[in-house]
PDB file of all heavy atoms in Angstrom:
ATOM      1  N   ALA A   1      92.729  77.423 125.836  1.00  0.00           N
ATOM      2  CA  ALA A   1      91.329  77.672 126.191  1.00  0.00           C
ATOM      3  C   ALA A   1      91.260  78.023 127.674  1.00  0.00           C
ATOM      4  O   ALA A   1      92.232  77.851 128.413  1.00  0.00           O
ATOM      5  CB  ALA A   1      90.504  76.426 125.893  1.00  0.00           C
ATOM      6  N   VAL A   2      90.095  78.524 128.092  1.00  0.00           N
ATOM      7  CA  VAL A   2      89.838  78.810 129.509  1.00  0.00           C
ATOM      8  C   VAL A   2      88.617  78.000 129.917  1.00  0.00           C
ATOM      9  O   VAL A   2      87.569  78.078 129.257  1.00  0.00           O
ATOM     10  CB  VAL A   2      89.531  80.314 129.732  1.00  0.00           C
ATOM     11  CG1 VAL A   2      89.364  80.611 131.219  1.00  0.00           C
ATOM     12  CG2 VAL A   2      90.606  81.198 129.131  1.00  0.00           C
ATOM     13  N   ASN A   3      88.746  77.216 130.992  1.00  0.00           N
ATOM     14  CA  ASN A   3      87.616  76.424 131.475  1.00  0.00           C
ATOM     15  C   ASN A   3      87.060  77.027 132.756  1.00  0.00           C
ATOM     16  O   ASN A   3      87.787  77.190 133.731  1.00  0.00           O
ATOM     17  CB  ASN A   3      88.058  74.985 131.728  1.00  0.00           C
ATOM     18  CG  ASN A   3      88.550  74.328 130.454  1.00  0.00           C
ATOM     19  OD1 ASN A   3      87.782  74.124 129.528  1.00  0.00           O
ATOM     20  ND2 ASN A   3      89.842  74.045 130.383  1.00  0.00           N
ATOM     21  N   ILE A   4      85.772  77.367 132.715  1.00  0.00           N
ATOM     22  CA  ILE A   4      85.107  77.972 133.874  1.00  0.00           C
ATOM     23  C   ILE A   4      84.043  76.986 134.349  1.00  0.00           C
ATOM     24  O   ILE A   4      83.138  76.619 133.596  1.00  0.00           O
ATOM     25  CB  ILE A   4      84.496  79.337 133.484  1.00  0.00           C
ATOM     26  CG1 ILE A   4      85.651  80.311 133.158  1.00  0.00           C
ATOM     27  CG2 ILE A   4      83.616  79.894 134.600  1.00  0.00           C
ATOM     28  CD1 ILE A   4      85.294  81.482 132.320  1.00  0.00           C
ATOM     29  N   CYS A   5      84.196  76.538 135.580  1.00  0.00           N
ATOM     30  CA  CYS A   5      83.384  75.414 136.069  1.00  0.00           C
ATOM     31  C   CYS A   5      82.803  75.756 137.441  1.00  0.00           C
ATOM     32  O   CYS A   5      83.517  76.305 138.289  1.00  0.00           O
ATOM     33  CB  CYS A   5      84.303  74.187 136.171  1.00  0.00           C
ATOM     34  SG  CYS A   5      83.466  72.675 136.597  1.00  0.00           S
ATOM     35  N   SER A   6      81.519  75.449 137.652  1.00  0.00           N
ATOM     36  CA  SER A   6      80.934  75.746 138.967  1.00  0.00           C
ATOM     37  C   SER A   6      81.646  74.912 140.038  1.00  0.00           C
ATOM     38  O   SER A   6      81.988  73.757 139.805  1.00  0.00           O
ATOM     39  CB  SER A   6      79.427  75.476 138.962  1.00  0.00           C
ATOM     40  OG  SER A   6      79.151  74.231 138.392  1.00  0.00           O
ATOM     41  N   MET A   7      81.868  75.521 141.194  1.00  0.00           N
ATOM     42  CA  MET A   7      82.664  74.883 142.241  1.00  0.00           C
ATOM     43  C   MET A   7      81.902  73.760 142.944  1.00  0.00           C
ATOM     44  O   MET A   7      80.710  73.852 143.209  1.00  0.00           O
ATOM     45  CB  MET A   7      83.050  75.918 143.316  1.00  0.00           C
ATOM     46  CG  MET A   7      84.229  76.790 142.965  1.00  0.00           C
ATOM     47  SD  MET A   7      85.807  75.903 142.815  1.00  0.00           S
ATOM     48  CE  MET A   7      85.994  75.213 144.455  1.00  0.00           C
ATOM     49  N   VAL A   8      82.630  72.704 143.239  1.00  0.00           N
ATOM     50  CA  VAL A   8      82.200  71.730 144.255  1.00  0.00           C
ATOM     51  C   VAL A   8      83.311  71.757 145.299  1.00  0.00           C
ATOM     52  O   VAL A   8      84.454  72.084 144.984  1.00  0.00           O
ATOM     53  CB  VAL A   8      82.012  70.312 143.685  1.00  0.00           C
ATOM     54  CG1 VAL A   8      80.772  70.232 142.833  1.00  0.00           C
ATOM     55  CG2 VAL A   8      83.227  69.877 142.894  1.00  0.00           C
ATOM     56  N   PHE A   9      82.972  71.427 146.537  1.00  0.00           N
ATOM     57  CA  PHE A   9      83.926  71.683 147.618  1.00  0.00           C
ATOM     58  C   PHE A   9      84.424  70.417 148.279  1.00  0.00           C
ATOM     59  O   PHE A   9      83.647  69.625 148.796  1.00  0.00           O
ATOM     60  CB  PHE A   9      83.280  72.593 148.664  1.00  0.00           C
ATOM     61  CG  PHE A   9      82.820  73.893 148.076  1.00  0.00           C
ATOM     62  CD1 PHE A   9      81.494  74.102 147.748  1.00  0.00           C
ATOM     63  CD2 PHE A   9      83.734  74.908 147.826  1.00  0.00           C
ATOM     64  CE1 PHE A   9      81.077  75.299 147.180  1.00  0.00           C
ATOM     65  CE2 PHE A   9      83.325  76.107 147.256  1.00  0.00           C
ATOM     66  CZ  PHE A   9      81.995  76.301 146.940  1.00  0.00           C
ATOM     67  N   GLY A  10      85.743  70.257 148.250  1.00  0.00           N
ATOM     68  CA  GLY A  10      86.352  69.118 148.929  1.00  0.00           C
ATOM     69  C   GLY A  10      86.632  69.407 150.391  1.00  0.00           C
ATOM     70  O   GLY A  10      86.968  68.507 151.145  1.00  0.00           O
ATOM     71  N   ASN A  11      86.480  70.688 150.770  1.00  0.00           N
ATOM     72  CA  ASN A  11      86.853  71.074 152.141  1.00  0.00           C
ATOM     73  C   ASN A  11      85.638  71.437 152.986  1.00  0.00           C
ATOM     74  O   ASN A  11      85.704  72.245 153.896  1.00  0.00           O
ATOM     75  CB  ASN A  11      87.841  72.253 152.105  1.00  0.00           C
ATOM     76  CG  ASN A  11      87.293  73.467 151.363  1.00  0.00           C
ATOM     77  OD1 ASN A  11      86.433  73.326 150.503  1.00  0.00           O
ATOM     78  ND2 ASN A  11      87.785  74.655 151.684  1.00  0.00           N
ATOM     79  N   LEU A  12      84.492  70.818 152.670  1.00  0.00           N
ATOM     80  CA  LEU A  12      83.239  71.154 153.350  1.00  0.00           C
ATOM     81  C   LEU A  12      83.042  70.348 154.632  1.00  0.00           C
ATOM     82  O   LEU A  12      82.153  70.603 155.415  1.00  0.00           O
ATOM     83  CB  LEU A  12      82.067  70.930 152.382  1.00  0.00           C
ATOM     84  CG  LEU A  12      80.695  71.465 152.736  1.00  0.00           C
ATOM     85  CD1 LEU A  12      80.757  72.892 153.264  1.00  0.00           C
ATOM     86  CD2 LEU A  12      79.773  71.421 151.532  1.00  0.00           C
ATOM     87  N   GLY A  13      83.874  69.331 154.833  1.00  0.00           N
ATOM     88  CA  GLY A  13      83.728  68.484 156.020  1.00  0.00           C
ATOM     89  C   GLY A  13      84.397  67.157 155.761  1.00  0.00           C
ATOM     90  O   GLY A  13      85.031  66.961 154.722  1.00  0.00           O
ATOM     91  N   HIS A  14      84.243  66.227 156.693  1.00  0.00           N
ATOM     92  CA  HIS A  14      84.969  64.961 156.552  1.00  0.00           C
ATOM     93  C   HIS A  14      84.297  63.969 155.603  1.00  0.00           C
ATOM     94  O   HIS A  14      84.813  62.880 155.360  1.00  0.00           O
ATOM     95  CB  HIS A  14      85.240  64.351 157.931  1.00  0.00           C
ATOM     96  CG  HIS A  14      86.276  65.155 158.677  1.00  0.00           C
ATOM     97  ND1 HIS A  14      87.615  65.130 158.336  1.00  0.00           N
ATOM     98  CD2 HIS A  14      86.157  66.061 159.677  1.00  0.00           C
ATOM     99  CE1 HIS A  14      88.281  65.965 159.115  1.00  0.00           C
ATOM    100  NE2 HIS A  14      87.417  66.551 159.934  1.00  0.00           N
ATOM    101  N   ASP A  15      83.127  64.358 155.043  1.00  0.00           N
ATOM    102  CA  ASP A  15      82.514  63.490 154.024  1.00  0.00           C
ATOM    103  C   ASP A  15      82.726  64.079 152.634  1.00  0.00           C
ATOM    104  O   ASP A  15      82.063  63.707 151.679  1.00  0.00           O
ATOM    105  CB  ASP A  15      81.016  63.293 154.307  1.00  0.00           C
ATOM    106  CG  ASP A  15      80.268  64.625 154.344  1.00  0.00           C
ATOM    107  OD1 ASP A  15      80.937  65.685 154.353  1.00  0.00           O
ATOM    108  OD2 ASP A  15      79.024  64.595 154.366  1.00  0.00           O
ATOM    109  N   SER A  16      83.661  65.036 152.518  1.00  0.00           N
ATOM    110  CA  SER A  16      84.031  65.544 151.189  1.00  0.00           C
ATOM    111  C   SER A  16      85.544  65.461 151.073  1.00  0.00           C
ATOM    112  O   SER A  16      86.241  65.299 152.070  1.00  0.00           O
ATOM    113  CB  SER A  16      83.533  66.984 151.019  1.00  0.00           C
ATOM    114  OG  SER A  16      84.072  67.823 152.011  1.00  0.00           O
ATOM    115  N   GLY A  17      86.045  65.565 149.858  1.00  0.00           N
ATOM    116  CA  GLY A  17      87.498  65.423 149.707  1.00  0.00           C
ATOM    117  C   GLY A  17      87.961  65.702 148.292  1.00  0.00           C
ATOM    118  O   GLY A  17      87.219  66.185 147.442  1.00  0.00           O
ATOM    119  N   THR A  18      89.207  65.380 148.062  1.00  0.00           N
ATOM    120  CA  THR A  18      89.831  65.620 146.754  1.00  0.00           C
ATOM    121  C   THR A  18      90.822  64.488 146.502  1.00  0.00           C
ATOM    122  O   THR A  18      91.227  63.797 147.435  1.00  0.00           O
ATOM    123  CB  THR A  18      90.555  66.990 146.765  1.00  0.00           C
ATOM    124  OG1 THR A  18      91.100  67.227 145.467  1.00  0.00           O
ATOM    125  CG2 THR A  18      91.697  67.038 147.776  1.00  0.00           C
ATOM    126  N   GLY A  19      91.199  64.301 145.264  1.00  0.00           N
ATOM    127  CA  GLY A  19      92.177  63.248 144.995  1.00  0.00           C
ATOM    128  C   GLY A  19      92.395  63.028 143.511  1.00  0.00           C
ATOM    129  O   GLY A  19      91.862  63.751 142.672  1.00  0.00           O
ATOM    130  N   VAL A  20      93.189  62.018 143.221  1.00  0.00           N
ATOM    131  CA  VAL A  20      93.524  61.657 141.833  1.00  0.00           C
ATOM    132  C   VAL A  20      93.364  60.150 141.712  1.00  0.00           C
ATOM    133  O   VAL A  20      93.887  59.408 142.550  1.00  0.00           O
ATOM    134  CB  VAL A  20      94.995  62.033 141.513  1.00  0.00           C
ATOM    135  CG1 VAL A  20      95.355  61.628 140.100  1.00  0.00           C
ATOM    136  CG2 VAL A  20      95.228  63.519 141.720  1.00  0.00           C
ATOM    137  N   ILE A  21      92.639  59.696 140.695  1.00  0.00           N
ATOM    138  CA  ILE A  21      92.529  58.241 140.505  1.00  0.00           C
ATOM    139  C   ILE A  21      92.744  57.832 139.055  1.00  0.00           C
ATOM    140  O   ILE A  21      92.494  58.597 138.135  1.00  0.00           O
ATOM    141  CB  ILE A  21      91.184  57.636 140.982  1.00  0.00           C
ATOM    142  CG1 ILE A  21      90.027  58.540 140.599  1.00  0.00           C
ATOM    143  CG2 ILE A  21      91.206  57.285 142.443  1.00  0.00           C
ATOM    144  CD1 ILE A  21      88.679  57.950 140.926  1.00  0.00           C
ATOM    145  N   PHE A  22      93.211  56.602 138.906  1.00  0.00           N
ATOM    146  CA  PHE A  22      93.443  55.988 137.591  1.00  0.00           C
ATOM    147  C   PHE A  22      92.671  54.671 137.540  1.00  0.00           C
ATOM    148  O   PHE A  22      92.468  54.040 138.568  1.00  0.00           O
ATOM    149  CB  PHE A  22      94.937  55.657 137.405  1.00  0.00           C
ATOM    150  CG  PHE A  22      95.845  56.852 137.515  1.00  0.00           C
ATOM    151  CD1 PHE A  22      96.307  57.277 138.757  1.00  0.00           C
ATOM    152  CD2 PHE A  22      96.260  57.545 136.385  1.00  0.00           C
ATOM    153  CE1 PHE A  22      97.158  58.380 138.874  1.00  0.00           C
ATOM    154  CE2 PHE A  22      97.104  58.647 136.493  1.00  0.00           C
ATOM    155  CZ  PHE A  22      97.551  59.053 137.732  1.00  0.00           C
ATOM    156  N   THR A  23      92.272  54.269 136.327  1.00  0.00           N
ATOM    157  CA  THR A  23      91.608  52.966 136.206  1.00  0.00           C
ATOM    158  C   THR A  23      92.657  51.853 136.042  1.00  0.00           C
ATOM    159  O   THR A  23      92.334  50.687 136.063  1.00  0.00           O
ATOM    160  CB  THR A  23      90.653  52.938 134.993  1.00  0.00           C
ATOM    161  OG1 THR A  23      91.424  53.232 133.815  1.00  0.00           O
ATOM    162  CG2 THR A  23      89.552  53.978 135.127  1.00  0.00           C
ATOM    163  N   ARG A  24      93.914  52.251 135.848  1.00  0.00           N
ATOM    164  CA  ARG A  24      95.028  51.285 135.774  1.00  0.00           C
ATOM    165  C   ARG A  24      96.157  51.798 136.644  1.00  0.00           C
ATOM    166  O   ARG A  24      96.270  53.001 136.870  1.00  0.00           O
ATOM    167  CB  ARG A  24      95.566  51.173 134.330  1.00  0.00           C
ATOM    168  CG  ARG A  24      94.517  50.872 133.273  1.00  0.00           C
ATOM    169  CD  ARG A  24      94.223  49.401 133.218  1.00  0.00           C
ATOM    170  NE  ARG A  24      93.011  49.133 132.463  1.00  0.00           N
ATOM    171  CZ  ARG A  24      92.926  48.204 131.523  1.00  0.00           C
ATOM    172  NH1 ARG A  24      93.988  47.495 131.197  1.00  0.00           N
ATOM    173  NH2 ARG A  24      91.793  47.976 130.918  1.00  0.00           N
ATOM    174  N   ASN A  25      97.021  50.892 137.057  1.00  0.00           N
ATOM    175  CA  ASN A  25      98.214  51.304 137.793  1.00  0.00           C
ATOM    176  C   ASN A  25      99.170  51.977 136.801  1.00  0.00           C
ATOM    177  O   ASN A  25      99.650  51.335 135.870  1.00  0.00           O
ATOM    178  CB  ASN A  25      98.878  50.072 138.430  1.00  0.00           C
ATOM    179  CG  ASN A  25     100.093  50.445 139.254  1.00  0.00           C
ATOM    180  OD1 ASN A  25     100.874  51.319 138.887  1.00  0.00           O
ATOM    181  ND2 ASN A  25     100.261  49.764 140.365  1.00  0.00           N
ATOM    182  N   PRO A  26      99.456  53.285 136.956  1.00  0.00           N
ATOM    183  CA  PRO A  26     100.288  53.976 135.958  1.00  0.00           C
ATOM    184  C   PRO A  26     101.737  53.476 135.938  1.00  0.00           C
ATOM    185  O   PRO A  26     102.454  53.700 134.967  1.00  0.00           O
ATOM    186  CB  PRO A  26     100.224  55.445 136.383  1.00  0.00           C
ATOM    187  CG  PRO A  26      99.758  55.446 137.784  1.00  0.00           C
ATOM    188  CD  PRO A  26      99.003  54.194 138.035  1.00  0.00           C
ATOM    189  N   ASN A  27     102.156  52.795 137.002  1.00  0.00           N
ATOM    190  CA  ASN A  27     103.542  52.285 137.044  1.00  0.00           C
ATOM    191  C   ASN A  27     103.695  50.948 136.326  1.00  0.00           C
ATOM    192  O   ASN A  27     104.711  50.694 135.678  1.00  0.00           O
ATOM    193  CB  ASN A  27     104.005  52.125 138.499  1.00  0.00           C
ATOM    194  CG  ASN A  27     103.836  53.419 139.275  1.00  0.00           C
ATOM    195  OD1 ASN A  27     104.205  54.480 138.797  1.00  0.00           O
ATOM    196  ND2 ASN A  27     103.235  53.342 140.454  1.00  0.00           N
ATOM    197  N   THR A  28     102.664  50.094 136.437  1.00  0.00           N
ATOM    198  CA  THR A  28     102.802  48.736 135.877  1.00  0.00           C
ATOM    199  C   THR A  28     101.820  48.467 134.731  1.00  0.00           C
ATOM    200  O   THR A  28     101.978  47.496 133.996  1.00  0.00           O
ATOM    201  CB  THR A  28     102.522  47.688 136.976  1.00  0.00           C
ATOM    202  OG1 THR A  28     101.149  47.835 137.398  1.00  0.00           O
ATOM    203  CG2 THR A  28     103.442  47.882 138.175  1.00  0.00           C
ATOM    204  N   GLY A  29     100.791  49.324 134.605  1.00  0.00           N
ATOM    205  CA  GLY A  29      99.772  49.083 133.577  1.00  0.00           C
ATOM    206  C   GLY A  29      98.734  48.070 134.011  1.00  0.00           C
ATOM    207  O   GLY A  29      97.779  47.776 133.295  1.00  0.00           O
TER     208      GLY A  29
END
């Protein structure tokens, strides 16, 4: 499939950003 999504910007200033999060520790569970 192709996903087309309106942009939000992580590089707009120091109150925006990007990252990866998990609700559990992927190493230990």
